[in-house]
Amino acid sequence: MNESEDFFEELHSKNEIKSSEKPVKSTQFNTKDLIFNLFSIAITFFTLKMFISEAGGIWVTLLTICFCVGVCVYAKIQKITMKKASYVYLLYNLLLGLSFAIFENTIFLGMNLFFLVLSCSYWIMTLGDARTTKTLDSHIIYDLFFGIVVRPFKNLSESFSVYSVARSDKKNKNVRYVVIGLMFSLPVLLLVITLLSSADALFGDWMFNILSYLSENLKSNILIFLFSIPLGYYLFLYVYRNMICLNKSSKTKKRFKGPDAMFITILTVFILVYLIFFVSTIMNFSAFLQKPITASTVSEYARTGFFQLVFVSLINIGIFTLIKIVGNEKNRGIIVLLSIIGVETLGLIFLGFAKMQLYISQFGLTLMRFNTSAFMLVLFICVCLFITALWKQFNYIRWVVVIIAFSFLGISYQNAGRFIASYNYKKYQQETLYEFDLSVFYSLGADVVPVALKMYQETEDETLKLELEKYFDYMEGQLVEHSNNQISVSRMKAKALIQTYMEEKHDDVQEK
Protein backbone atom coordinates (compact mmCIF):
# COMPACT_ATOMS: atom_id res chain seq x y z
CA MET A 1 0.00 0.00 0.00
CA ASN A 2 2.82 2.35 0.87
CA GLU A 3 4.54 1.63 -2.44
CA SER A 4 1.41 2.52 -4.44
CA GLU A 5 0.95 5.74 -2.44
CA ASP A 6 4.59 6.71 -3.11
CA PHE A 7 4.08 6.03 -6.82
CA PHE A 8 0.98 8.25 -7.03
CA GLU A 9 2.64 11.00 -5.00
CA GLU A 10 5.64 10.96 -7.36
CA LEU A 11 3.34 11.06 -10.43
CA HIS A 12 1.37 13.95 -8.92
CA SER A 13 4.57 15.91 -8.20
CA LYS A 14 5.74 15.42 -11.82
CA ASN A 15 2.43 16.75 -13.11
CA GLU A 16 2.76 19.80 -10.84
CA ILE A 17 6.24 20.50 -12.21
CA LYS A 18 5.03 20.20 -15.80
CA SER A 19 2.07 22.48 -15.17
CA SER A 20 4.33 25.09 -13.57
CA GLU A 21 6.47 25.35 -16.69
CA LYS A 22 5.73 28.39 -18.86
CA PRO A 23 3.72 27.26 -21.89
CA VAL A 24 4.96 28.21 -25.32
CA LYS A 25 2.70 30.85 -26.80
CA SER A 26 1.11 29.81 -30.05
CA THR A 27 0.86 32.10 -33.03
CA GLN A 28 -2.49 33.88 -32.67
CA PHE A 29 -2.52 36.99 -34.80
CA ASN A 30 -5.00 39.83 -34.55
CA THR A 31 -5.72 42.99 -36.52
CA LYS A 32 -2.90 44.88 -34.78
CA ASP A 33 -0.44 42.25 -35.99
CA LEU A 34 -1.84 42.52 -39.52
CA ILE A 35 -1.38 46.31 -39.50
CA PHE A 36 2.19 45.99 -38.26
CA ASN A 37 2.83 43.37 -40.94
CA LEU A 38 1.69 45.85 -43.60
CA PHE A 39 3.92 48.47 -41.97
CA SER A 40 6.88 46.05 -42.19
CA ILE A 41 6.22 45.48 -45.90
CA ALA A 42 6.10 49.27 -46.46
CA ILE A 43 9.42 49.79 -44.61
CA THR A 44 10.98 46.97 -46.66
CA PHE A 45 9.63 48.46 -49.90
CA PHE A 46 11.17 51.89 -49.26
CA THR A 47 14.43 50.31 -48.08
CA LEU A 48 14.73 48.32 -51.32
CA LYS A 49 13.88 51.47 -53.28
CA MET A 50 16.66 53.27 -51.44
CA PHE A 51 19.22 50.58 -52.30
CA ILE A 52 18.19 50.32 -55.96
CA SER A 53 18.25 54.09 -56.50
CA GLU A 54 21.59 54.33 -54.61
CA ALA A 55 19.97 56.73 -52.18
CA GLY A 56 21.26 57.55 -48.73
CA GLY A 57 21.73 60.47 -46.42
CA ILE A 58 18.55 61.71 -44.84
CA TRP A 59 16.53 58.80 -46.26
CA VAL A 60 18.43 56.35 -44.04
CA THR A 61 17.71 58.63 -41.08
CA LEU A 62 13.99 58.83 -41.88
CA LEU A 63 13.68 55.07 -42.37
CA THR A 64 15.47 54.48 -39.05
CA ILE A 65 13.14 56.89 -37.23
CA CYS A 66 10.02 55.41 -38.86
CA PHE A 67 11.05 51.85 -38.05
CA CYS A 68 11.96 52.63 -34.42
CA VAL A 69 8.74 54.60 -33.87
CA GLY A 70 6.69 51.82 -35.49
CA VAL A 71 8.26 49.15 -33.26
CA CYS A 72 7.77 51.32 -30.14
CA VAL A 73 4.09 51.87 -30.96
CA TYR A 74 3.61 48.16 -31.65
CA ALA A 75 5.31 47.29 -28.35
CA LYS A 76 3.07 49.72 -26.48
CA ILE A 77 -0.05 48.26 -28.14
CA GLN A 78 1.12 44.78 -27.12
CA LYS A 79 1.62 46.14 -23.55
CA ILE A 80 5.37 45.49 -23.55
CA THR A 81 7.22 47.71 -21.07
CA MET A 82 10.50 49.16 -22.32
CA LYS A 83 13.38 48.66 -19.91
CA LYS A 84 16.30 51.03 -19.35
CA ALA A 85 18.56 48.92 -21.58
CA SER A 86 16.01 49.16 -24.40
CA TYR A 87 16.06 52.97 -24.20
CA VAL A 88 19.86 52.96 -24.38
CA TYR A 89 19.88 50.80 -27.53
CA LEU A 90 17.07 52.90 -29.05
CA LEU A 91 19.05 56.09 -28.47
CA TYR A 92 22.13 54.54 -30.06
CA ASN A 93 20.12 53.47 -33.14
CA LEU A 94 18.69 56.97 -33.57
CA LEU A 95 22.10 58.64 -33.17
CA LEU A 96 23.74 56.28 -35.67
CA GLY A 97 20.85 56.79 -38.09
CA LEU A 98 21.08 60.57 -37.67
CA SER A 99 24.76 60.58 -38.70
CA PHE A 100 23.72 59.65 -42.26
CA ALA A 101 21.84 62.95 -42.55
CA ILE A 102 24.92 64.96 -41.55
CA PHE A 103 27.95 63.38 -43.27
CA GLU A 104 28.53 61.22 -46.34
CA ASN A 105 29.89 58.33 -44.26
CA THR A 106 31.82 56.86 -47.20
CA ILE A 107 34.58 56.01 -44.75
CA PHE A 108 32.95 52.75 -43.65
CA LEU A 109 32.26 51.47 -47.19
CA GLY A 110 28.70 50.55 -46.16
CA MET A 111 29.67 48.81 -42.89
CA ASN A 112 27.92 51.48 -40.78
CA LEU A 113 24.59 50.62 -42.45
CA PHE A 114 25.14 46.91 -41.72
CA PHE A 115 26.02 47.78 -38.12
CA LEU A 116 22.83 49.85 -37.87
CA VAL A 117 20.77 46.82 -38.95
CA LEU A 118 22.46 44.58 -36.34
CA SER A 119 21.97 47.22 -33.66
CA CYS A 120 18.25 47.53 -34.44
CA SER A 121 17.93 43.73 -34.41
CA TYR A 122 19.55 43.46 -30.99
CA TRP A 123 17.40 46.32 -29.67
CA ILE A 124 14.23 44.37 -30.58
CA MET A 125 15.58 41.35 -28.70
CA THR A 126 16.05 43.50 -25.59
CA LEU A 127 12.45 44.71 -25.91
CA GLY A 128 11.06 41.18 -25.84
CA ASP A 129 13.62 39.80 -23.40
CA ALA A 130 14.65 37.34 -26.12
CA ARG A 131 18.30 37.16 -25.10
CA THR A 132 19.88 34.18 -23.38
CA THR A 133 20.76 36.40 -20.43
CA LYS A 134 19.49 39.81 -19.39
CA THR A 135 22.76 41.56 -20.15
CA LEU A 136 25.14 42.05 -23.06
CA ASP A 137 27.66 39.22 -22.80
CA SER A 138 29.36 36.38 -24.71
CA HIS A 139 25.97 35.05 -25.91
CA ILE A 140 25.51 37.97 -28.31
CA ILE A 141 26.58 35.99 -31.41
CA TYR A 142 24.32 33.07 -30.52
CA ASP A 143 21.40 35.39 -29.68
CA LEU A 144 21.68 37.27 -32.98
CA PHE A 145 21.99 34.06 -35.01
CA PHE A 146 19.09 32.34 -33.25
CA GLY A 147 16.93 35.48 -33.29
CA ILE A 148 17.58 36.36 -36.96
CA VAL A 149 17.90 32.94 -38.61
CA VAL A 150 16.11 30.35 -36.46
CA ARG A 151 13.29 31.89 -34.44
CA PRO A 152 11.39 33.72 -37.26
CA PHE A 153 11.06 30.48 -39.26
CA LYS A 154 9.64 28.35 -36.46
CA ASN A 155 6.05 27.18 -37.14
CA LEU A 156 6.18 28.99 -40.47
CA SER A 157 3.01 27.39 -41.86
CA GLU A 158 1.06 28.53 -38.82
CA SER A 159 2.45 32.05 -39.21
CA PHE A 160 0.60 32.64 -42.49
CA SER A 161 -2.65 32.82 -40.52
CA VAL A 162 -2.04 36.56 -40.16
CA TYR A 163 -3.65 37.07 -43.58
CA SER A 164 -6.83 35.27 -42.56
CA VAL A 165 -7.46 37.42 -39.49
CA ALA A 166 -9.88 39.82 -41.14
CA ARG A 167 -11.81 36.96 -42.72
CA SER A 168 -12.08 34.60 -39.75
CA ASP A 169 -12.44 36.89 -36.77
CA LYS A 170 -15.87 38.55 -36.53
CA LYS A 171 -14.53 41.22 -34.18
CA ASN A 172 -12.02 42.33 -36.82
CA LYS A 173 -14.27 42.25 -39.87
CA ASN A 174 -13.82 46.03 -40.36
CA VAL A 175 -10.44 45.37 -41.97
CA ARG A 176 -12.20 43.52 -44.77
CA TYR A 177 -14.65 46.37 -45.18
CA VAL A 178 -11.79 48.90 -45.43
CA VAL A 179 -10.24 46.90 -48.29
CA ILE A 180 -13.61 46.61 -50.07
CA GLY A 181 -14.19 50.35 -49.59
CA LEU A 182 -10.86 51.20 -51.19
CA MET A 183 -11.61 48.94 -54.16
CA PHE A 184 -15.01 50.57 -54.79
CA SER A 185 -13.73 54.13 -54.30
CA LEU A 186 -10.86 53.90 -56.84
CA PRO A 187 -12.96 54.23 -60.05
CA VAL A 188 -14.95 57.16 -58.64
CA LEU A 189 -11.73 58.74 -57.31
CA LEU A 190 -10.16 58.65 -60.79
CA LEU A 191 -13.23 60.36 -62.27
CA VAL A 192 -13.16 63.06 -59.57
CA ILE A 193 -9.42 63.69 -60.09
CA THR A 194 -10.00 64.03 -63.86
CA LEU A 195 -12.78 66.60 -63.34
CA LEU A 196 -10.78 68.58 -60.76
CA SER A 197 -7.74 68.60 -63.06
CA SER A 198 -9.89 70.23 -65.75
CA ALA A 199 -11.20 72.75 -63.25
CA ASP A 200 -7.81 73.94 -61.98
CA ALA A 201 -4.62 74.07 -64.08
CA LEU A 202 -2.18 73.92 -61.15
CA PHE A 203 -3.95 70.92 -59.62
CA GLY A 204 -3.92 69.31 -63.04
CA ASP A 205 -0.16 69.82 -63.34
CA TRP A 206 0.37 68.22 -59.92
CA MET A 207 -1.72 65.19 -60.80
CA PHE A 208 -0.02 64.89 -64.18
CA ASN A 209 3.44 64.89 -62.58
CA ILE A 210 2.37 62.29 -60.00
CA LEU A 211 0.78 60.02 -62.61
CA SER A 212 3.78 60.44 -64.92
CA TYR A 213 6.15 59.42 -62.14
CA LEU A 214 4.00 56.41 -61.23
CA SER A 215 3.66 55.26 -64.85
CA GLU A 216 7.40 55.65 -65.55
CA ASN A 217 8.36 53.61 -62.51
CA LEU A 218 5.33 51.31 -62.51
CA LYS A 219 7.17 48.15 -63.62
CA SER A 220 10.09 48.60 -61.24
CA ASN A 221 7.77 49.50 -58.33
CA ILE A 222 5.64 46.40 -58.93
CA LEU A 223 8.77 44.23 -59.01
CA ILE A 224 10.15 45.83 -55.84
CA PHE A 225 6.78 45.41 -54.15
CA LEU A 226 6.67 41.71 -55.00
CA PHE A 227 10.08 41.24 -53.34
CA SER A 228 8.96 43.39 -50.41
CA ILE A 229 6.11 41.05 -49.49
CA PRO A 230 8.20 38.02 -48.37
CA LEU A 231 11.00 40.19 -46.96
CA GLY A 232 8.53 42.43 -45.12
CA TYR A 233 6.77 39.38 -43.75
CA TYR A 234 10.11 38.06 -42.50
CA LEU A 235 10.71 41.42 -40.78
CA PHE A 236 7.29 41.17 -39.14
CA LEU A 237 7.99 37.62 -37.97
CA TYR A 238 11.37 38.68 -36.61
CA VAL A 239 9.81 41.43 -34.50
CA TYR A 240 6.83 39.30 -33.45
CA ARG A 241 8.77 36.19 -32.53
CA ASN A 242 11.56 38.01 -30.69
CA MET A 243 9.28 40.49 -28.94
CA ILE A 244 6.09 38.53 -28.24
CA CYS A 245 6.18 34.84 -29.21
CA LEU A 246 9.62 33.69 -28.09
CA ASN A 247 9.58 29.87 -28.14
CA LYS A 248 12.67 29.93 -25.93
CA SER A 249 14.17 26.81 -24.46
CA SER A 250 15.36 26.91 -20.85
CA LYS A 251 17.68 23.96 -21.27
CA THR A 252 21.38 24.70 -20.99
CA LYS A 253 23.87 22.42 -22.66
CA LYS A 254 27.05 21.46 -20.90
CA ARG A 255 30.14 22.93 -22.51
CA PHE A 256 32.60 20.62 -24.17
CA LYS A 257 36.07 20.81 -22.59
CA GLY A 258 39.04 19.55 -24.57
CA PRO A 259 42.24 17.98 -23.19
CA ASP A 260 44.65 20.44 -21.60
CA ALA A 261 47.75 18.78 -23.10
CA MET A 262 46.52 19.39 -26.64
CA PHE A 263 45.86 23.09 -26.03
CA ILE A 264 49.19 23.59 -24.27
CA THR A 265 50.97 22.01 -27.27
CA ILE A 266 49.12 24.25 -29.77
CA LEU A 267 49.87 27.43 -27.83
CA THR A 268 53.54 26.50 -27.28
CA VAL A 269 54.11 25.90 -31.00
CA PHE A 270 52.61 29.25 -32.00
CA ILE A 271 54.46 31.12 -29.25
CA LEU A 272 57.84 29.77 -30.43
CA VAL A 273 57.08 30.65 -34.07
CA TYR A 274 56.19 34.24 -33.14
CA LEU A 275 59.34 34.62 -31.02
CA ILE A 276 61.44 33.65 -34.05
CA PHE A 277 59.42 36.08 -36.19
CA PHE A 278 60.05 39.00 -33.78
CA VAL A 279 63.80 38.32 -33.87
CA SER A 280 63.80 38.39 -37.68
CA THR A 281 61.67 41.58 -37.65
CA ILE A 282 64.21 43.39 -35.46
CA MET A 283 67.02 42.34 -37.77
CA ASN A 284 65.03 43.42 -40.85
CA PHE A 285 64.28 46.83 -39.28
CA SER A 286 67.99 47.36 -38.51
CA ALA A 287 68.81 46.62 -42.15
CA PHE A 288 66.12 49.10 -43.29
CA LEU A 289 67.60 51.90 -41.16
CA GLN A 290 70.98 51.44 -42.86
CA LYS A 291 69.45 52.08 -46.30
CA PRO A 292 68.90 55.61 -47.71
CA ILE A 293 65.34 56.74 -46.98
CA THR A 294 63.62 57.11 -50.35
CA ALA A 295 60.06 56.66 -51.62
CA SER A 296 60.81 53.22 -53.02
CA THR A 297 62.55 51.90 -49.89
CA VAL A 298 59.80 53.19 -47.58
CA SER A 299 57.10 51.80 -49.85
CA GLU A 300 58.77 48.40 -50.09
CA TYR A 301 59.37 48.10 -46.33
CA ALA A 302 56.03 49.49 -45.13
CA ARG A 303 53.77 47.63 -47.56
CA THR A 304 55.50 44.25 -47.32
CA GLY A 305 53.73 42.00 -44.85
CA PHE A 306 51.22 44.54 -43.52
CA PHE A 307 48.03 42.71 -44.48
CA GLN A 308 49.64 39.38 -43.53
CA LEU A 309 50.24 40.74 -40.02
CA VAL A 310 46.61 41.81 -39.71
CA PHE A 311 45.39 38.41 -40.90
CA VAL A 312 47.71 36.53 -38.50
CA SER A 313 46.48 38.74 -35.65
CA LEU A 314 42.89 37.75 -36.45
CA ILE A 315 43.92 34.05 -36.56
CA ASN A 316 45.49 34.46 -33.12
CA ILE A 317 42.29 35.99 -31.77
CA GLY A 318 40.37 33.00 -33.19
CA ILE A 319 42.76 30.56 -31.47
CA PHE A 320 42.63 32.62 -28.30
CA THR A 321 38.80 32.64 -28.25
CA LEU A 322 38.44 28.94 -29.14
CA ILE A 323 40.79 27.74 -26.41
CA LYS A 324 39.20 30.08 -23.88
CA ILE A 325 35.78 28.57 -24.69
CA VAL A 326 36.64 24.85 -24.85
CA GLY A 327 39.80 24.87 -22.73
CA ASN A 328 40.15 24.63 -18.99
CA GLU A 329 40.09 28.20 -17.71
CA LYS A 330 41.34 27.08 -14.29
CA ASN A 331 44.53 25.51 -15.69
CA ARG A 332 47.36 27.86 -14.73
CA GLY A 333 49.55 26.75 -17.65
CA ILE A 334 46.87 27.49 -20.23
CA ILE A 335 46.20 30.90 -18.69
CA VAL A 336 49.91 31.82 -18.82
CA LEU A 337 50.31 30.59 -22.41
CA LEU A 338 47.16 32.43 -23.52
CA SER A 339 48.54 35.58 -21.93
CA ILE A 340 51.84 35.17 -23.79
CA ILE A 341 50.16 34.63 -27.16
CA GLY A 342 47.90 37.61 -26.37
CA VAL A 343 50.95 39.82 -25.77
CA GLU A 344 52.53 38.51 -28.99
CA THR A 345 49.31 39.38 -30.83
CA LEU A 346 49.59 42.91 -29.45
CA GLY A 347 53.14 42.98 -30.83
CA LEU A 348 51.93 41.89 -34.28
CA ILE A 349 49.21 44.55 -34.27
CA PHE A 350 51.73 47.18 -33.19
CA LEU A 351 54.12 46.17 -36.00
CA GLY A 352 51.34 46.34 -38.59
CA PHE A 353 50.13 49.69 -37.27
CA ALA A 354 53.67 51.11 -37.23
CA LYS A 355 54.23 50.03 -40.85
CA MET A 356 50.96 51.63 -41.87
CA GLN A 357 51.81 54.91 -40.11
CA LEU A 358 55.23 54.97 -41.80
CA TYR A 359 53.55 54.55 -45.17
CA ILE A 360 50.91 57.22 -44.37
CA SER A 361 53.56 59.71 -43.27
CA GLN A 362 55.17 59.48 -46.71
CA PHE A 363 52.20 58.96 -49.06
CA GLY A 364 49.21 60.38 -47.17
CA LEU A 365 45.88 58.97 -46.04
CA THR A 366 43.31 57.08 -48.11
CA LEU A 367 40.02 55.40 -47.23
CA MET A 368 41.71 52.01 -46.89
CA ARG A 369 44.60 53.35 -44.80
CA PHE A 370 42.24 55.20 -42.46
CA ASN A 371 39.95 52.17 -42.07
CA THR A 372 42.79 49.75 -41.35
CA SER A 373 44.42 52.14 -38.86
CA ALA A 374 41.16 52.62 -36.96
CA PHE A 375 40.47 48.86 -37.09
CA MET A 376 43.91 48.04 -35.65
CA LEU A 377 43.54 50.54 -32.81
CA VAL A 378 40.19 49.03 -31.80
CA LEU A 379 41.62 45.51 -32.20
CA PHE A 380 44.56 46.41 -29.91
CA ILE A 381 42.18 47.58 -27.17
CA CYS A 382 40.01 44.45 -27.52
CA VAL A 383 43.01 42.11 -27.20
CA CYS A 384 44.06 43.98 -24.05
CA LEU A 385 40.60 43.25 -22.64
CA PHE A 386 40.93 39.57 -23.62
CA ILE A 387 44.22 39.29 -21.74
CA THR A 388 42.86 41.11 -18.67
CA ALA A 389 39.84 38.76 -18.57
CA LEU A 390 42.21 35.79 -18.13
CA TRP A 391 43.33 37.06 -14.74
CA LYS A 392 40.25 38.97 -13.59
CA GLN A 393 36.70 37.77 -14.16
CA PHE A 394 34.45 40.42 -15.72
CA ASN A 395 32.06 40.75 -18.67
CA TYR A 396 34.76 41.59 -21.23
CA ILE A 397 32.53 40.78 -24.24
CA ARG A 398 30.19 43.56 -23.16
CA TRP A 399 33.07 46.04 -23.09
CA VAL A 400 34.33 44.84 -26.50
CA VAL A 401 30.91 45.37 -28.08
CA VAL A 402 30.56 48.79 -26.42
CA ILE A 403 34.00 49.89 -27.66
CA ILE A 404 33.25 48.74 -31.23
CA ALA A 405 29.79 50.36 -31.19
CA PHE A 406 31.00 53.72 -29.93
CA SER A 407 33.97 53.64 -32.30
CA PHE A 408 31.47 53.43 -35.17
CA LEU A 409 29.39 56.22 -33.66
CA GLY A 410 32.41 58.44 -32.93
CA ILE A 411 33.87 58.14 -36.42
CA SER A 412 30.41 58.72 -37.92
CA TYR A 413 30.25 62.12 -36.24
CA GLN A 414 33.90 63.04 -36.77
CA ASN A 415 33.64 63.76 -40.52
CA ALA A 416 36.50 61.39 -41.27
CA GLY A 417 36.47 62.27 -44.98
CA ARG A 418 37.33 65.88 -44.21
CA PHE A 419 39.96 64.70 -41.72
CA ILE A 420 41.70 62.63 -44.43
CA ALA A 421 41.69 65.52 -46.90
CA SER A 422 42.91 68.01 -44.27
CA TYR A 423 45.72 65.67 -43.20
CA ASN A 424 46.94 65.24 -46.78
CA TYR A 425 46.73 68.98 -47.45
CA LYS A 426 48.70 69.77 -44.28
CA LYS A 427 51.42 67.30 -45.27
CA TYR A 428 51.42 68.78 -48.77
CA GLN A 429 51.96 72.28 -47.33
CA GLN A 430 54.81 70.97 -45.17
CA GLU A 431 56.30 69.29 -48.26
CA THR A 432 56.64 65.99 -46.41
CA LEU A 433 54.67 63.89 -48.91
CA TYR A 434 56.46 62.15 -51.76
CA GLU A 435 53.34 62.65 -53.86
CA PHE A 436 49.94 64.29 -53.51
CA ASP A 437 47.22 61.96 -54.76
CA LEU A 438 44.12 64.02 -55.60
CA SER A 439 42.24 60.89 -56.72
CA VAL A 440 41.60 60.19 -53.03
CA PHE A 441 39.16 63.13 -53.00
CA TYR A 442 36.85 61.42 -55.49
CA SER A 443 36.24 58.50 -53.11
CA LEU A 444 35.47 60.71 -50.10
CA GLY A 445 32.35 62.40 -51.49
CA ALA A 446 31.01 65.81 -50.54
CA ASP A 447 32.79 65.94 -47.16
CA VAL A 448 36.01 66.95 -48.93
CA VAL A 449 34.68 69.95 -50.88
CA PRO A 450 35.48 72.62 -48.21
CA VAL A 451 39.10 71.41 -47.98
CA ALA A 452 39.43 71.21 -51.79
CA LEU A 453 38.11 74.77 -52.17
CA LYS A 454 40.56 76.00 -49.52
CA MET A 455 43.40 74.31 -51.40
CA TYR A 456 42.31 75.93 -54.66
CA GLN A 457 42.28 79.39 -53.08
CA GLU A 458 45.67 79.01 -51.36
CA THR A 459 47.83 77.01 -53.79
CA GLU A 460 49.96 78.58 -56.50
CA ASP A 461 50.55 75.29 -58.27
CA GLU A 462 48.76 75.67 -61.63
CA THR A 463 48.79 71.91 -62.28
CA LEU A 464 47.08 71.25 -58.97
CA LYS A 465 44.57 74.01 -59.70
CA LEU A 466 43.62 72.37 -63.00
CA GLU A 467 43.14 69.02 -61.25
CA LEU A 468 40.98 70.68 -58.59
CA GLU A 469 38.86 72.35 -61.29
CA LYS A 470 38.20 68.92 -62.80
CA TYR A 471 37.26 67.66 -59.35
CA PHE A 472 34.79 70.55 -58.85
CA ASP A 473 33.20 69.85 -62.24
CA TYR A 474 32.85 66.18 -61.29
CA MET A 475 31.34 66.98 -57.88
CA GLU A 476 28.91 69.49 -59.39
CA GLY A 477 27.58 66.75 -61.67
CA GLN A 478 27.38 64.27 -58.78
CA LEU A 479 25.55 66.70 -56.52
CA VAL A 480 23.03 67.55 -59.23
CA GLU A 481 22.53 63.93 -60.33
CA HIS A 482 21.89 62.65 -56.80
CA SER A 483 20.28 65.82 -55.43
CA ASN A 484 17.01 64.08 -54.47
CA ASN A 485 18.08 60.61 -53.35
CA GLN A 486 21.18 61.60 -51.34
CA ILE A 487 20.38 64.52 -49.07
CA SER A 488 22.64 65.45 -46.16
CA VAL A 489 23.97 68.57 -44.47
CA SER A 490 27.42 67.87 -45.91
CA ARG A 491 26.07 67.64 -49.48
CA MET A 492 23.99 70.83 -49.14
CA LYS A 493 27.04 72.72 -47.85
CA ALA A 494 29.22 71.32 -50.66
CA LYS A 495 26.61 72.26 -53.27
CA ALA A 496 26.48 75.85 -51.99
CA LEU A 497 30.29 76.14 -51.99
CA ILE A 498 30.64 74.77 -55.54
CA GLN A 499 27.86 77.05 -56.76
CA THR A 500 29.70 80.06 -55.26
CA TYR A 501 32.95 78.85 -56.86
CA MET A 502 31.27 78.48 -60.28
CA GLU A 503 29.76 81.99 -60.07
CA GLU A 504 33.13 83.53 -59.15
CA LYS A 505 34.80 81.63 -61.94
CA HIS A 506 32.17 82.86 -64.40
CA ASP A 507 32.69 86.46 -63.23
CA ASP A 508 36.48 86.13 -63.66
CA VAL A 509 36.04 84.87 -67.23
CA GLN A 510 33.76 87.80 -68.08
CA GLU A 511 36.22 90.32 -66.64
CA LYS A 512 39.03 88.88 -68.75
Side-chain angles (χ1 to χ4, degrees), residues 229-406:
I229 293 173
L231 292 174
Y233 190 60
Y234 162 78
L235 178 62
F236 162 73
L237 286 178
Y238 175 80
V239 176
Y240 181 83
R241 289 282 173 78
N242 286 282
M243 203 162 69
I244 299 169
C245 184
L246 299 181
N247 293 321
K248 287 201 300 184
S249 175
S250 60
K251 293 180 180 179
T252 55
K253 293 182 180 179
K254 190 178 180 181
R255 278 187 177 183
F256 169 78
K257 294 294 181 181
D260 294 345
M262 180 179 73
F263 295 132
I264 290 172
T265 303
I266 293 171
L267 291 172
T268 303
V269 169
F270 278 94
I271 287 169
L272 292 174
V273 170
Y274 292 139
L275 286 175
I276 296 170
F277 173 79
F278 285 126
V279 171
S280 67
T281 300
I282 294 170
M283 295 174 64
N284 189 23
F285 181 69
S286 301
F288 166 73
L289 292 177
Q290 295 175 2
K291 297 178 182 179
I293 305 299
T294 61
S296 59
T297 56
V298 170
S299 177
E300 182 182 356
Y301 176 77
R303 294 181 68 176
T304 303
F306 166 74
F307 290 104
Q308 289 86 337
L309 287 172
V310 175
F311 192 66
V312 170
S313 299
L314 293 175
I315 291 174
N316 280 356
I317 291 172
I319 296 171
F320 187 95
T321 306
L322 181 64
I323 294 179
K324 196 174 187 305
I325 292 172
V326 300
N328 186 3
E329 295 181 356
K330 296 180 181 180
N331 188 303
R332 193 78 173 179
I334 290 179
I335 292 174
V336 171
L337 291 174
L338 281 174
S339 301
I340 294 172
I341 203 169
V343 172
E344 289 182 331
T345 303
L346 292 177
L348 293 172
I349 296 171
F350 177 79
L351 281 174
F353 184 79
K355 283 194 170 191
M356 177 56 71
Q357 298 314 302
L358 176 62
Y359 194 82
I360 289 171
S361 66
Q362 302 299 324
F363 298 98
L365 274 170
T366 62
L367 271 175
M368 183 62 70
R369 295 165 199 167
F370 180 90
N371 286 337
T372 50
S373 298
F375 169 74
M376 291 165 72
L377 284 173
V378 173
L379 190 64
F380 189 91
I381 296 171
C382 292
V383 174
C384 288
L385 289 174
F386 293 159
I387 298 170
T388 307
L390 291 171
W391 300 95
K392 185 179 180 182
Q393 293 295 322
F394 69 98
N395 191 353
Y396 67 96
I397 295 295
R398 181 180 183 178
W399 283 103
V400 167
V401 175
V402 168
I403 289 168
I404 294 172
F406 279 92

